[in-house]
Amino acid sequence: MSFRIITDSNADVPPEIIKEFDLFVMSTPVIVNGENKLDGQTIQPKELYDILRAGGESSTSQINSFMFEEYFREFAKAKEEVIYICFSSGLTGTYHSATMALETIKEEYPEFDMTIIDTKCASLGFGLVVYLALLMQKNGASKETVLEGIYYHSQHMQHIFTVDDLDEVEKLIEVYENMSSYQQSYISDETLETFKEYLELYNSMKPSEEGDGTEESGSVEESASSDETAGDD
């Protein structure tokens, strides 16, 4: 029997891949400059990053259980077998909301066959897990084999990211400190220490605002004194 692979927009799957595989992607709510948007629907990634580069603000929400119920119900009505490759539970409550929604839908449709996988992945690392699963399905792999592949790639995916402004590292540490202990457990001590080392180096290179003010004031006073002395002569 055929099965359907779906995911959410946190996977950052390129549009051409979505089109090629007819991938169903659930949009994650985002707030941009105080306005509610849906990632991939009412705002596109490039547009969002252009806003951020221009000094705008954004924050992410999550797909709540009600939204998931609306999505899942359509698949249940169509009697489709579904694999939902989900965003990391270590970064958001998306996985928890999805499992709650599935429980509700199965009360209405007991025969509904859906597997939700917590990838522990994000962004393109997450997207690669989805893409590899789609390739396996296209090449004729069984549902069980695809599930094994998803679990394997999720557990072995390594994420590397860069920032062009070390202020972002400071923000990441603030986010970490506001996480629950469960969420923090998914971030290695080595990674956190690296963040802190970079931040310490960055802060040591930043000029002191008080120092700058004092130096400028001293320079002005010294210049004024020199002018007065020259005038007396």
Side-chain angles (χ1 to χ4, degrees):
M1 186 175 180
S2 63
F3 58 94
R4 184 81 174 267
I5 294 174
I6 68 174
T7 191
D8 55 74
S9 62
N10 295 292
D12 293 332
V13 178
E16 57 269 25
I17 301 299
I18 294 174
K19 182 177 180 180
E20 178 184 352
F21 291 92
D22 191 25
L23 175 65
F24 186 84
V25 180
M26 295 173 284
S27 295
T28 300
V30 295
I31 302 172
V32 183
N33 288 336
E35 295 184 14
N36 293 318
K37 303 285 187 180
L38 286 174
D39 182 23
Q41 288 190 30
T42 57
I43 190 167
Q44 300 301 319
K46 184 180 185 306
E47 182 183 356
L48 172 60
Y49 286 118
D50 286 344
I51 290 172
L52 294 178
R53 291 187 184 99
E57 295 184 354
S58 75
S59 60
T60 57
S61 181
Q62 67 181 50
I63 306 172
N64 59 44
S65 57
F66 175 76
M67 295 171 69
F68 274 126
E69 287 177 26
E70 294 294 301
Y71 287 128
F72 294 170
R73 186 172 287 108
E74 295 304 310
F75 292 114
K77 287 180 180 179
K79 298 181 179 180
E80 292 191 72
E81 288 190 19
V82 179
I83 298 175
Y84 170 27
I85 307 177
C86 182
F87 187 36
S88 173
S89 65
L91 297 173
T92 179
T94 300
Y95 174 74
H96 178 66
S97 294
T99 55
M100 288 180 58
L102 179 58
E103 290 177 5
T104 300
I105 294 300
K106 286 183 75 69
E107 291 177 2
E108 300 177 36
Y109 301 90
E111 303 302 317
F112 181 41
D113 186 347
M114 170 179 269
T115 303
I116 304 175
I117 300 178
D118 178 7
T119 61
K120 303 295 192 304
C121 295
S123 192
L124 280 182
F126 176 17
L128 280 171
V129 173
V130 175
Y131 179 59
L132 291 170
L134 291 169
L135 286 177
M136 292 179 69
Q137 183 187 37
K138 182 179 180 179
N139 290 328
S142 67
K143 179 181 176 182
E144 291 70 25
T145 301
V146 170
L147 285 171
E148 289 176 6
I150 295 169
Y151 285 120
Y152 177 85
H153 292 128
S154 296
Q155 293 167 5
H156 292 82
M157 189 63 64
Q158 296 187 14
H159 297 69
I160 299 173
F161 66 91
T162 62
V163 295
D164 54 16
D165 185 341
L166 286 177
D167 282 336
E168 299 302 320
V169 177
E170 186 170 16
K171 291 178 184 177
L172 284 171
I173 292 175
E174 290 176 1
V175 169
Y176 173 84
E177 291 173 345
N178 289 321
M179 286 180 174
S180 66
S181 57
Y182 173 74
Q183 291 173 320
Q184 289 179 353
S185 68
Y186 288 102
I187 300 178
S188 69
D189 292 338
E190 182 181 358
T191 298
L192 183 61
E193 287 306 312
T194 300
F195 283 167
K196 289 183 176 179
E197 286 175 11
Y198 278 120
L199 183 60
E200 184 177 349
L201 175 62
Y202 177 55
N203 286 333
S204 69
M205 296 169 62
K206 290 172 66 176
S208 169
E209 292 182 4
E210 293 183 1
D212 287 349
T214 303
E215 289 174 6
E216 289 177 5
S217 176
S219 298
V220 171
E221 290 175 2
E222 182 180 349
S223 175
S225 299
S226 298
D227 289 345
E228 290 174 2
T229 303
D232 291 341
D233 292 342

